[in-house]
Structure formats: structure tokens, C-alpha cells
């Protein structure tokens, strides 16, 4: 599968081709229009169709072509920000609900796979969370919080990995894994089989709340719906409200060939800074050790290659059986300041437009309980998790983080007056980009492999922050709210709805 959201290729893209769907070519009417054909959009579409709704799903690329194809596909109820941190921010009752939503999401995925015989390499396994030997206090606090919240957990007296034998270890049963694109293709087949419609290659650049609500494409074609769900990683219907409550982060992944069965089959995480997450993909001749981490804020690192180097160094130390590196890719994670997803009515379009964002590194379970919540809300049913994940919530204990991130965003605007990355176009290597001062304002300049030059305003159309060149993915990334554009200026990730503004094209 050719990537839609950057130049790197994940193991899922390399080993499976998703089905093709046609672009929208006429105006349509439905009960629910879902924008985004990743795991959130497809899972919600499947559940709403089962509830009797007429559903249209639309995406500007292929199904799974965005961040869903860049996951490491851990299916886990272990909260990325730790259960103890969720309890600190939200209280004991909230952490119990959060744990329940995560746990039920894993079970729902297993049920969908088994009920519909989806061939997606689904497997149940155990997960292990490691704490360094000198971090016993945090280990004990996390264990107690898990037990109090009703999480199935135990202390592992013997480490499953010899390189972590001196660490404290929590063992979590009933975790799982699968091949993401095989699962999404299975969902797509179910959706179309139930009468749902999927449009690919269709960019929505206008959303209007109302009765009906309207999703309008770049080609001025409209979808009229009773309700609209924005399932686009970062919401494109919300201009400010949600984007001040979460940050966009890049995360990095490598896939290393290792001998078959040389590492126990499980999910593994540590609590280092930066942290790491590990799983296997089992093949006929060998296994692939998938190692992720090295996160940083989107658009705020100009030397992304060092991230891969750090992962390789860590992996080869911890897993001495490592052979050659077969894969390198990166992805984008939306990190809410208070550690919980935002699912429900959009605060800025609050009647018939719904959002699901803030996956916090748990995109698969997030997508699944989000689909449950949205299905209930749209059908007028009560949902026990909806208040916990309400996008309108205010978490007072996150005020310091809110102020800190506000300052961080403000600092990014200083790039307007900072020196350019190149003074002459000739300084830009072929296949690369740079921020330059060629006119009155800063410009984003890309030189393709044939020497063709593409010039754009360097200001992100969302809130006019200066974009940065991503050397790994060959994209322009906004350091303020995470909008991303391909090398030739086309928007590939919100919140921006539109492309970078072209200045001209030189040969």
C-alpha cells in the first residue's frame, strides 16, 4: 500500500493492500456522514449500520491511509499515561470507568473479529509494563491503583525478558494484537455488505452544523446528514477549542528482523523517559521486533533521524538477537492534557457534529469505545462513559499544563522572525525542503528529485503558525497544532482544512 501521510512505509503497508473505493461523484443524503476512514471511522460506521442507520464514510485517501496505517497495533487496556496519573487528575471513580472502557474495547474487537471471521492475525497475549529498579515507589503506586480500579493485573516475579530481569514488572493478561490493515479491510467489507457507502479520494473542506448538517467536498459536492462524525485524528470541524486541550506528537517505530521465537510473544512497555513500546510480528522465516518511542511535539525537531538511531541503539542493547533493520516509520499521536480522549459533540458545532480525538497512544481501543459512545449518543441512548470523555469538560488540575502548552504554542510564532534555513534555492538538496525568505513573508520551498521548485506560504492555514520541514516523512508539519502537508503543499492531516497557499512554481 502506498502511504498517504508521509514517505515512510510501515510493516502493515508493506504486507497488505487495502481495497479501493471510488471518489464521490454526486451529492448524497444519509443518516450519518463519517469523515475519516481509519479505525475510528470504520468502527463507528460498522456499529451505526448495525443500529439501522444509513451511513456514508468519506476519506481524502484510501481506507487506513492516514495514521491508522502507522500504528504498532497494540490492542491493550493498559492506559498510556498510567492509571495512577488518571486517578490523580480525575479521581478514583473516573479511573474505574476509564479502565472499564479500555477493557471492554479489547473484548469488542475480539468479538467483531470472531463473529465475522476477519482474517487479520488477531492473537490474545499478555502485556508487561517494566519499571526501573530504582523506581519502586511508582511501580507500587501503579499496581495499587490498577487493583483498586478493577484492572486484571499481577506482579510478575520473573521477568519475561532477560534484559529486564532487574526491573519491576506488572503483568496484564487478555491483551491482543492484529494486522491493522487486514482488520480495516474486514470492517470495510462488512460496512459495504450492510449497505454502507465508502468514498475514497474525496477531500471535505467545509462542515456546517444544522438540520441537516452538511459536509462539502473540495469539488463543491455536498453530503446532507442528520449527524456528522469527524474521525480525522485531529478534528477539522473545530477551530480552537479542542486544539488548546491537546498536543500533536510524532512517534517513531523500527522493525528489526530477529530469529523466530527468540523473543516471547507478548506486548512490552517500559516507563523510561523517553519510553518504549515493543511487540512482535511473526512471519514464516523470522519474526519482526517492532519497537516504538522517542516521541516529540510535531514540527519541533529538525533532526528526526536521530530518533531512529536512538531506537536502534536501545533495541540492540535490550535484544542482542537483533539482526537487520527492515522498517522505519513514524506516526502522529494526539495527546490530551488530562490523559483522556475527547468523544462527543464538538464544542464549536454542538448540535449535530461529533468528534473523536485524543487517542493518547491507545488509538485502537480509543477508536472502539469512541464508536460505542457515538453510536449511543446519535441513537439517543445513555452511555456510561460519555461524561468522562465529554469534549466540553474542564479539568482544573491540568491548568499548569494548559499554561505551559499555551506558552509553547506562542513560542512557535517567533519562527516568523527567525533566520531562514536556506538563503538560496541552490542550497536545498533534491527531494528536500526548507523555510526561506524569498518575498515579504516566509516561504516553504520544496525541490523535487527532478529539480522542480515548489513555493508556498510557510504559514499554516489553520492559525498562521510557521510550518517546519519533516526530513523523515518529507512533509511540512505545523508545530502549533499538528496540521501536516505533503511536500507539494496538499493537506494530509488536520486541523487545517486547506492546502498551503502556493506562491508560484519555478523550473
Amino acid at each position: 500500500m502506498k502511504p498517504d501521510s508521509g514517505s515512510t512505509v510501515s510493516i502493515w503497508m508493506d504486507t497488505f493492500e487495502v481495497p479501493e473505493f471510488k471518489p464521490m461523484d454526486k451529492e448524497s443524503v444519509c443518516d450519518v456522514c463519517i469523515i475519516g476512514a481509519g479505525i475510528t471511522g470504520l468502527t463507528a460506521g460498522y456499529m451505526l449500520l448495525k443500529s439501522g442507520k444509513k451511513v456514508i464514510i468519506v476519506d481524502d485517501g484510501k481506507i487506513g491511509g492516514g495514521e491508522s496505517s502507522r500504528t504498532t497495533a497494540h490492542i491493550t487496556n493498559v492506559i498510556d499515561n498510567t492509571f495512577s496519573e488518571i486517578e490523580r487528575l480525575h479521581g478514583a471513580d473516573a479511573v474505574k470507568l476509564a479502565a472499564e472502557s479500555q477493557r471492554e474495547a479489547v473484548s469488542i474487537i475480539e468479538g467483531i473479529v470472531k463473529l465475522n471471521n476477519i482474517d487479520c492475525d488477531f492473537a490474545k497475549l499478555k502485556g508487561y509494563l517494566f519499571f526501573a529498579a530504582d523506581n519502586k515507589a511508582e511501580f507500587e503506586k501503579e499496581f495499587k491503583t490498577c487493583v483498586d480500579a478493577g484492572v486484571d493485573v499481577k506482579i510478575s516475579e520473573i521477568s519475561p525478558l532477560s534484559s529486564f530481569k532487574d526491573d519491576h514488572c506488572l503483568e496484564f493478561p487478555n491483551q491482543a494484537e492484529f494486522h491493522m490493515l487486514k482488520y480495516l479491510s474486514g470492517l470495510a467489507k462488512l460496512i459495504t455488505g450492510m449497505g454502507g457507502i465508502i468514498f475514497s479520494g474525496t477531500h471535505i473542506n467545509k462542515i456546517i452544523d444544522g438540520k441537516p448538517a452538511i459536509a462539502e467536498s473540495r469539488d463543491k459536492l455536498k453530503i446532507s446528514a442528520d449527524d456528522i462524525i469527524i474521525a480525522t485524528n485531529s478534528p477539522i470541524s473545530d477551530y480552537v477549542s479542542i486544539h488548546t486541550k491537546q498536543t500533536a506528537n510524532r512517534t517513531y517505530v523500527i522493525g528489526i528482523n530477529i530469529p523466530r521465537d527468540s523473543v516471547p510473544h507478548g506486548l512490552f512497555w517500559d516507563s523510561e523517559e523517553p519510553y518504549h513500546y515493543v511487540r512482535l510480528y511473526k512471519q514464516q522465516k523470522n519474526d519482526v521486533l517492532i519497537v516504538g518511542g522517542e516521541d516529540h511535539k510535531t514540527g519541533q525537531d529538525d533532526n528526526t533521524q536521530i530518533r531512529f538511531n536512538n531506537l536502534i541503539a536501545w533495541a540492540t542493547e535490550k535484544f542482542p538477537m537483533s539482526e537487520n533493520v527492515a522498517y522505519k516509520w513514524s506516526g502522529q499521536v494526539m495527546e490530551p492534557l488530562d490523559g483522556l480522549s475527547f468523544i462527543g459533540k464538538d464544542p464549536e458545532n454542538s448540535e449535530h457534529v461529533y468528534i473523536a480525538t485524543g487517542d493518547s497512544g491507545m488509538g485502537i481501543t480509543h477508536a472502539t469505545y469512541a464508536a460505542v459512545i457515538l453510536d449511543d449518543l446519535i441513537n439517543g441512548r445513555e452511555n456510561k462513559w460519555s461524561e468522562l470523555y465529554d469534549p466540553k469538560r474542564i479539568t482544573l488540575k491540568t491548568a499548569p499544563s494548559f499554561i505551559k502548552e499555551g506558552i509553547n504554542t506562542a513560542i512557535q510564532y517567533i519562527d516568523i522572525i527567525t533566520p531562514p534555513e536556506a538563503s538560496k534555492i541552490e542550497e536545498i538538496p533534491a527531494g528536500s525542503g526548507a523555510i526561506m525568505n524569498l518575498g515579504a513573508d516566509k516561504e516553504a520551498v520544496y525541490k523535487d528529485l527532478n529539480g522542480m521548485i515548489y513555493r508556498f506560504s510557510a504559514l499554516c492555514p489553520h492559525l498562521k503558525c510557521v510550518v517546519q520541514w519533516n526530513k523523515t516523512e518529507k512533509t511540512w508539519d505545523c508545530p502549533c497544532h499538528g496540521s501536516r502537508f505533503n511536500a507539494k503543499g496538499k493537506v494530509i492531516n488536520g486541523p487545517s482544512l486547506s492546502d498551503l497557499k502556493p506562491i508560484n512554481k519555478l523550473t
Side-chain angles (χ1 to χ4, degrees):
M1 172 181 167
K2 184 179 179 180
D4 289 339
S5 54
S7 65
T8 60
V9 176
S10 72
I11 193 170
W12 322 123
M13 299 179 204
D14 188 49
T15 54
F16 190 78
E17 198 65 41
V18 298
E20 299 276 352
F21 294 92
K22 295 180 179 179
M24 183 169 69
D25 58 2
K26 61 181 180 180
E27 298 199 344
S28 303
V29 178
C30 61
D31 296 326
V32 184
C33 172
I34 300 174
I35 302 171
I39 188 169
T40 303
L42 293 178
T43 307
Y46 168 77
M47 292 188 177
L48 285 160
L49 283 160
K50 289 189 68 177
S51 295
K53 296 293 186 181
K54 181 180 179 182
V55 175
I56 293 176
I57 302 173
V58 59
D59 199 293
D60 60 2
K62 298 179 181 180
I63 66 166
E67 294 308 312
S68 290
S69 61
R70 295 180 173 277
T71 179
T72 51
H74 290 232
I75 308 174
T76 176
N77 61 22
V78 181
I79 291 180
D80 190 63
N81 287 299
T82 72
F83 289 95
S84 54
E85 178 64 5
I86 299 302
E87 183 179 56
R88 183 186 73 83
L89 291 171
H90 299 277
D93 291 340
V95 78
K96 289 178 183 177
L97 281 174
E100 180 187 61
S101 66
Q102 294 286 140
R103 181 173 61 251
E104 290 196 20
V106 177
S107 296
I108 289 168
I109 293 167
E110 182 178 12
I112 291 173
V113 170
K114 290 183 176 179
L115 176 66
N116 300 289
N117 295 312
I118 298 177
D119 183 8
C120 61
D121 305 330
F122 180 87
K124 293 292 289 293
L125 34 68
K126 295 177 181 178
Y128 300 89
L129 175 59
F130 297 98
F131 293 78
D134 60 356
N135 200 12
K136 187 176 182 180
E138 288 300 315
F139 163 74
E140 292 177 341
K141 181 170 71 173
E142 185 66 5
F143 176 66
K144 182 180 184 304
T145 306
C146 287
V147 171
D148 292 345
V151 177
D152 191 0
V153 62
K154 72 175 186 178
I155 295 174
S156 181
E157 301 295 344
I158 301 175
S159 173
L161 300 175
S162 59
S163 54
F164 290 84
K165 61 182 176 59
D166 295 327
D167 290 3
H168 307 289
C169 180
L170 295 179
E171 178 183 308
F172 299 87
N174 298 315
Q175 313 302 297
E177 65 180 17
F178 60 18
H179 189 300
M180 172 59 93
L181 294 183
K182 291 181 181 181
Y183 180 69
L184 295 189
S185 295
L187 284 178
K189 182 178 180 180
L190 293 170
I191 287 166
T192 55
M194 290 188 286
I197 298 171
I198 300 174
F199 292 121
S200 293
T202 303
H203 180 73
I204 299 297
N205 63 359
K206 183 181 291 186
I207 295 137
I208 303 170
D209 191 19
K211 197 169 184 179
I214 304 294
E216 183 176 297
S217 76
R218 182 176 280 159
D219 298 326
K220 305 298 182 182
L221 296 175
K222 296 179 181 178
I223 301 174
S224 301
D226 293 337
D227 297 288
I228 295 175
I229 294 174
I230 309 300
T232 55
N233 184 246
S234 180
I236 58 172
S237 58
D238 188 295
Y239 204 68
V240 175
S241 298
I242 291 300
H243 306 295
T244 61
K245 295 181 179 181
Q246 65 180 8
T247 63
N249 297 315
R250 298 304 296 171
T251 189
Y252 295 81
V253 186
I254 56 173
I256 301 178
N257 287 324
I258 58 174
R260 278 187 62 83
D261 302 325
S262 59
V263 172
H265 196 186
L267 304 181
F268 308 98
W269 313 275
D270 67 22
S271 56
E272 293 182 20
E273 184 59 47
Y275 70 97
H276 306 88
Y277 45 98
V278 180
R279 62 158 288 191
L280 300 176
Y281 182 64
K282 302 187 78 63
Q283 302 183 129
Q284 288 186 342
K285 293 183 178 180
N286 64 282
D287 294 340
V288 179
L289 184 74
I290 300 173
V291 181
E294 289 290 319
D295 298 17
H296 67 81
K297 289 186 175 63
T298 297
Q300 298 188 33
D301 189 339
D302 61 0
N303 189 5
T304 52
Q305 184 56 46
I306 197 170
R307 304 287 177 167
F308 289 123
N309 294 341
N310 290 343
L311 287 178
I312 293 169
W314 182 87
T316 52
E317 177 189 351
K318 296 293 186 180
F319 301 91
M321 72 291 294
S322 296
E323 297 174 350
N324 62 301
V325 177
Y327 297 95
K328 295 179 182 179
W329 76 88
S330 71
Q332 185 140 303
V333 174
M334 305 308 299
E335 188 65 50
L337 298 185
D338 67 358
L340 294 176
S341 307
F342 297 108
I343 304 163
K345 289 186 176 181
D346 187 329
E348 294 182 19
N349 295 280
S350 59
E351 291 303 315
H352 299 282
V353 178
Y354 296 80
I355 63 173
T357 188
D359 55 86
S360 187
M362 301 171 295
I364 296 172
T365 47
H366 154 85
T368 306
Y369 62 70
V372 173
I373 293 169
L374 295 171
D375 181 33
D376 284 346
L377 293 179
I378 287 172
N379 282 289
R381 301 187 291 257
E382 289 189 10
N383 182 281
K384 54 189 173 182
W385 308 321
S386 61
E387 184 178 353
L388 181 71
Y389 296 116
D390 188 347
K392 297 185 180 70
R393 71 178 184 269
I394 297 173
T395 308
L396 295 179
K397 288 184 179 179
T398 63
S401 296
F402 183 87
I403 294 170
K404 179 181 177 181
E405 292 305 326
I407 293 171
N408 177 273
T409 298
I411 289 172
Q412 306 313 312
Y413 285 95
I414 296 174
D415 275 347
I416 294 174
I417 60 173
T418 54
E421 296 170 344
S423 58
K424 297 179 181 179
I425 289 177
E426 291 75 16
E427 296 175 1
I428 302 176
S432 189
I435 301 298
M436 300 186 67
N437 288 341
L438 294 178
D441 298 315
K442 283 192 179 294
E443 296 183 15
V445 182
Y446 170 66
K447 181 190 291 185
D448 71 15
L449 294 175
N450 296 317
M452 184 76 74
I453 304 299
Y454 299 83
R455 293 170 58 185
F456 312 91
S457 167
L459 301 183
C460 175
H462 177 229
L463 287 175
K464 308 304 180 186
C465 195
V466 176
V467 298
Q468 300 294 320
W469 177 249
N470 183 327
K471 297 176 183 177
T472 293
E473 298 296 349
K474 308 295 183 183
T475 57
W476 301 104
D477 297 353
C478 177
C480 288
H481 302 107
S483 296
R484 300 179 62 238
F485 310 83
N486 71 13
K488 297 181 181 179
K490 178 185 176 183
V491 62
I492 55 176
N493 200 96
S496 178
L497 280 162
S498 57
D499 302 339
L500 293 178
K501 181 180 178 181
I503 294 175
N504 60 18
K505 184 169 70 175
L506 304 175
T507 57

